[in-house]
Amino acid sequence: MDMRMDMNPRMDTDVLTAPDLSWREDALCAQAGPEFFFPAPGSSTREAKQLCGACEGRLACLEYALSHDERFGVWGGLSEKERVRLKRQSH
């Protein structure tokens, strides 16, 4: 097995730039368990969406999910299907 490290000097700026996650500090989702926002397939997302609707970080959360292609769960008050639909409409 070759254990040499890749000596390519090229740097990926995406790795160096961390996303702003400060909205998570006061997010209402931090007070609920992950199963609330990642329900089993076919389960209701109503309660998670209601909580998101009252959260001041909702738009930042949605922007994060859209820009990072989050494919599962409720983010910013929208389900996976709703985020896909929103992305299609905006392009």
Side-chain angles (χ1 to χ4, degrees), residues 5-86:
M5 296 184 71
D6 183 9
M7 300 306 267
N8 186 350
R10 184 182 66 89
M11 296 179 78
D12 188 349
T13 57
D14 289 340
V15 173
L16 300 175
T17 307
D20 177 16
L21 300 176
S22 61
W23 54 269
R24 286 183 164 185
E25 293 172 13
D26 297 320
L28 295 177
C29 60
Q31 301 171 20
E35 66 279 352
F36 200 69
F37 295 92
F38 296 92
S43 297
S44 175
T45 58
R46 184 174 1 134
E47 292 85 8
K49 289 178 179 183
Q50 287 175 338
L51 191 61
C52 289
C55 184
E56 291 182 18
R58 186 181 74 78
L59 291 178
C61 176
L62 179 58
E63 288 176 13
Y64 174 86
L66 293 171
S67 66
H68 289 85
D69 198 27
E70 290 290 344
R71 296 179 186 213
F72 302 99
V74 175
W75 289 79
L78 298 181
S79 68
E80 301 97 332
K81 289 180 183 179
E82 292 166 329
R83 289 193 306 276
V84 168
R85 215 171 311 148
L86 181 63

